[in-house]
Amino acid sequence: MIRIILFLVLIALGAAGAAWIAEQSGDVVLSWGGYRVQTTLPVFVLGLGIVVVAAMMLWAILRGLWRTPQRIRRNRRERRQARGRHAITQGLLAIGHGDSAAARIHADAARKHAAHDPLALLLHAQSAQLDGDREGAQRAFRTMAEREDTRLLGLRGLFIEAQRADDPVAAVMLAEEALKLSPSSSWASHAVLGFCCAKGDWAGALKILDNNQSAGLIDKATYRRQRGVLLTARALELEKVDRDLARESVMEAVKLAPTLVPAAVLASKFESEAHQVRRSMRLVETAWLAQPHPDLADAYAHVKLGDSARQRLVRVETLAAKTPGHIEGALAIARAAIDASEFTKAREALAPFIAQPTQRVALLMAEIERTEHGDSGRARAWTLRAVRALHDPAWTADGYVSDRWRPVSPVTGRLDAFQWQTPVAALPSDKGAAIESSPFEEAMLATPRRAVVIAPPGAVDEQPAEPTAPVTPEPPAAQDNVPPAAAGMEAAPAEATRPEAVTAPTPEPAPPEPAPPKPAEPAPSQPAPLFRSRQDIPKTVPTPIPAVIPLIRAPDDPGIDEDGPADEFAEQIAPPKAQAGGWRGFLSRWGGS
């Protein structure tokens, strides 16, 4: 809008100036040498304007001709850059969807048209990584590391290649160099921090953590938690070497992270040794309310040195009452009750968890049975049950299960990665609430029982038992619509389906209805037979099975008269000719009809 107003104002001023010049009277005389030109003022102004415009056009033409070669070179350079940018874009897209061949082609085109472009170097390195050419990727990253604008990117690529080559020394050196160039680089600080924790350089790790907090990489809450983790790790390492520094470190750690379990346990231990019982109990209670843990329960039980087992039991019951219904509280009470020989109280504490016990619950029950009654059988049963019971929580980080707390994950190097939780591999599936053996599995895994055949009194074995003949497949039982002859023929196989005939260890058949006197010991229970013999079919003398099984038809089936009278008209002297097909066959049939 403003531009339109200015344009109109300029037009108005130009028109006003032209009108003013046209109104002026007078002549303009130009005398140069022997020439003399005389004209009016408006004509002179118009001619002067034409001369100025012509001069400007001539200057523009000459300037354009002078700059034509430079413009041609610039256009060619811009076209090359456009082709290079297009190749880089397509190459990065090809890398994104995993087309290594297309990425390599576009990388070659980008290196040809835009060799000095940082993105062309990145495309070449990533296409080499996608093809598995580590040497080519390292060369590209070294080239990037030598340039000022791509140095950090080249160091990051060399760091990743060093990790892939399993060279931690080179990886840490590259990360340290990148951290010197850019203290705010998160990947470099993470790598150096993990390396310092791995070699136990807690002072260096704390320094890097302070740099991360000052650079704004982590917030204040995360900084306090991670600093508490590092101080706890240093205190645990120096517990038996420098107790003063360990105590100072863990006291600062428990102030920064009061819910950190190992910090609370170690701080409670130091306070207990200093006879600060109430302060030690408060430290454990704070951590217990956030995350009940067996180490906290043990520290709380032994917070006062010299107490008896019953006093420890009372103290543990007080701690467990702060989180009612939690399994860790019940386990702590059971452990303290077993030590105090209060087995009834231990059983009452574990009673809600016996239906679906964990491994620790089963092992405590086994210890109760062994200690209270000396029942090794029940103890062994609970121990076997613990093998298939649910797993208890453990220190887990990135799928790695550790028997103790660690400050850094050994898988990813992540700080404060270990959590007290049930491992993922030990979680129950959606098919069952617990990992318990079903009765079917117990029956399948049990030792198969042999059937015992009780012989009638007076029967004496005259011949030794012969090896059992191989079992041959039996024909199916007769149906209701089978004629009597077939029913009699198939009665013998029906006898073979009886349990006594199948499970008998000797080939001698048992009597159909043995009536032994009252035996001294009852016969062992036998599994129910899978098939039961038909009672409505009369038992006949077994007949030999014919070599050819006759074809049996239903009573209302007239069958086929195989021996019928021969038809003399049906006999043919020669075999019939095959009927022609296609259009010839159609014409022959149409003509014959």
Side-chain angles (χ1 to χ4, degrees):
M1 187 66 183
I2 297 177
R3 292 181 180 180
I4 296 175
I5 294 174
L6 290 177
F7 180 71
L8 295 175
V9 170
L10 290 176
I11 291 176
L13 291 176
W20 180 79
I21 291 173
E23 292 176 356
Q24 298 298 323
S25 61
D27 297 334
V28 176
V29 179
L30 179 62
S31 179
W32 185 14
Y35 298 96
R36 185 174 182 273
V37 178
Q38 183 178 0
T39 182
T40 60
L41 181 61
V43 175
F44 176 75
V45 172
L46 180 61
L48 183 61
I50 293 173
V51 171
V52 172
V53 171
M56 292 176 64
M57 292 179 62
L58 181 61
W59 173 252
I61 293 172
L62 293 176
R63 186 179 180 183
L65 293 175
W66 178 262
R67 293 186 175 182
T68 297
Q70 182 180 0
R71 188 180 297 109
I72 292 174
R73 289 193 299 269
R74 184 174 64 251
N75 291 337
R76 291 179 61 185
R77 184 169 60 252
E78 289 177 356
R79 284 196 300 269
R80 288 175 63 88
Q81 290 180 356
R83 292 175 184 174
R85 291 285 179 174
H86 178 73
I88 290 172
T89 304
Q90 297 300 322
L92 293 177
L93 292 176
I95 290 175
H97 57 73
D99 192 352
S100 60
R104 184 170 58 254
I105 293 173
H106 290 300
D108 296 338
R111 186 166 49 182
K112 177 181 178 182
H113 297 292
H116 300 286
D117 196 329
L119 292 179
L121 295 175
L122 178 62
L123 176 60
H124 178 63
Q126 290 189 348
S127 62
Q129 286 181 334
L130 189 61
D131 285 338
D133 185 9
R134 292 186 176 180
E135 295 182 359
Q138 290 179 0
R139 286 195 300 269
F141 284 126
R142 288 195 192 98
T143 305
M144 297 170 66
E146 293 174 357
R147 296 179 50 167
E148 188 68 25
D149 54 347
T150 60
R151 181 169 299 175
L152 284 176
L153 185 57
L155 292 175
R156 174 69 185 279
L158 292 175
F159 171 77
I160 294 175
E161 290 299 324
Q163 282 187 328
R164 290 181 177 179
D166 204 5
D167 189 359
V169 178
V172 171
M173 291 177 61
L174 293 168
E176 289 177 349
E177 185 177 355
L179 193 61
K180 292 178 183 178
L181 294 175
S182 176
S184 61
S185 180
S186 60
W187 66 269
S189 62
H190 176 77
V192 177
L193 180 62
F195 179 74
C196 291
C197 294
K199 67 178 183 179
D201 184 11
W202 307 115
L206 290 171
K207 182 179 179 180
I208 294 173
L209 188 63
D210 294 338
N211 293 335
N212 293 342
Q213 199 273 337
S214 60
L217 298 179
I218 54 178
D219 54 0
K220 187 175 181 180
T222 306
Y223 167 74
R224 291 174 59 88
R225 174 74 180 188
Q226 292 184 356
R227 183 174 177 82
V229 169
L230 293 177
L231 290 172
T232 303
R234 183 171 68 176
L236 290 174
E237 184 176 347
L238 300 178
E239 181 183 359
K240 298 181 180 179
V241 179
D242 190 351
R243 295 184 64 85
D244 294 336
L245 183 57
R247 177 184 174 84
E248 180 183 354
S249 300
V250 76
M251 288 305 170
E252 183 181 356
V254 81
K255 291 179 181 178
L256 296 173
T259 60
L260 187 60
V261 172
V265 171
L266 186 57
S268 174
K269 180 180 179 181
F270 281 121
E271 294 291 350
S272 176
E273 292 176 355
H275 303 287
Q276 300 292 333
V277 178
R278 292 187 178 275
R279 187 179 303 175
S280 176
M281 294 174 64
R282 284 198 299 269
L283 293 175
V284 175
E285 289 171 358
T286 303
W288 178 270
L289 291 175
Q291 178 63 68
H293 193 275
D295 293 346
L296 294 173
D298 184 70
Y300 199 83
H302 297 84
V303 69
K304 190 174 182 180
L305 304 178
D307 281 354
S308 63
R310 296 184 181 274
Q311 291 174 335
R312 293 198 298 269
L313 174 60
V314 174
R315 191 178 298 115
V316 169
E317 289 178 343
T318 304
L319 180 65
K322 297 182 180 298
T323 54
H326 202 279
I327 187 173
E328 291 295 342
L331 291 173
I333 292 176
R335 178 71 270 170
I338 292 174
D339 295 339
S341 299
E342 296 285 347
F343 301 105
T344 303
K345 189 170 295 185
R347 291 180 184 273
E348 292 176 357
L350 297 178
F353 308 98
I354 290 180
Q356 296 179 359
T358 63
Q359 292 180 349
R360 290 167 57 196
V361 171
L363 291 177
L364 285 177
M365 288 299 300
E367 186 176 355
I368 291 173
E369 296 293 347
R370 186 183 301 106
T371 307
E372 182 181 9
H373 302 296
D375 193 344
S376 60
R378 288 182 176 271
R380 191 182 304 110
W382 276 108
T383 305
L384 293 177
R385 193 175 182 183
V387 176
R388 300 182 59 87
L390 293 173
H391 289 259
D392 293 281
W395 289 114
T396 308
D398 301 322
Y400 179 85
V401 180
S402 176
D403 57 344
R404 58 184 178 86
W405 176 84
R406 297 184 182 184
V408 181
S409 170
V411 180
T412 60
R414 183 164 53 94
L415 186 63
D416 191 24
F418 277 91
Q419 302 293 330
W420 181 256
Q421 59 186 3
T422 304
V424 177
L427 293 177
S429 64
D430 54 354
K431 297 181 180 179
I435 308 176
E436 290 289 340
S437 59
S438 61
F440 177 75
E441 289 181 342
E442 294 178 357
M444 292 296 293
L445 295 176
T447 305
R449 299 179 179 179
R450 292 183 175 271
V452 179
V453 179
I454 303 176
V460 180
D461 295 340
E462 298 180 356
Q463 296 180 358
E466 297 179 358
T468 306
V471 180
T472 57
E474 301 292 342
Q479 304 297 327
D480 294 339
N481 58 352
V482 178
M489 181 181 61
E490 294 182 4
E495 291 291 336
T497 59
R498 298 180 59 187
E500 295 82 1
V502 174
T503 59
T506 60
E508 299 177 1
E513 293 182 357
K518 296 181 180 180
E521 296 181 357
S525 60
Q526 298 181 0
L530 186 61
F531 300 98
R532 299 182 182 275
S533 58
R534 296 284 298 271
Q535 301 296 333
D536 54 346
I537 301 177
K539 300 180 181 179
T540 58
V541 180
T543 57
I545 300 175
V548 179
I549 301 177
L551 182 63
I552 303 173
R553 304 185 181 90
D556 56 346
D557 186 5
I560 301 174
D561 190 5
E562 298 178 356
D563 299 330
D567 189 2
E568 59 181 1
F569 297 101
E571 296 179 356
Q572 298 181 1
I573 301 175
K577 296 182 180 181
Q579 187 176 3
W583 61 274
R584 290 191 180 89
F586 173 73
L587 291 177
S588 62
R589 290 193 297 274
W590 181 68
S593 61

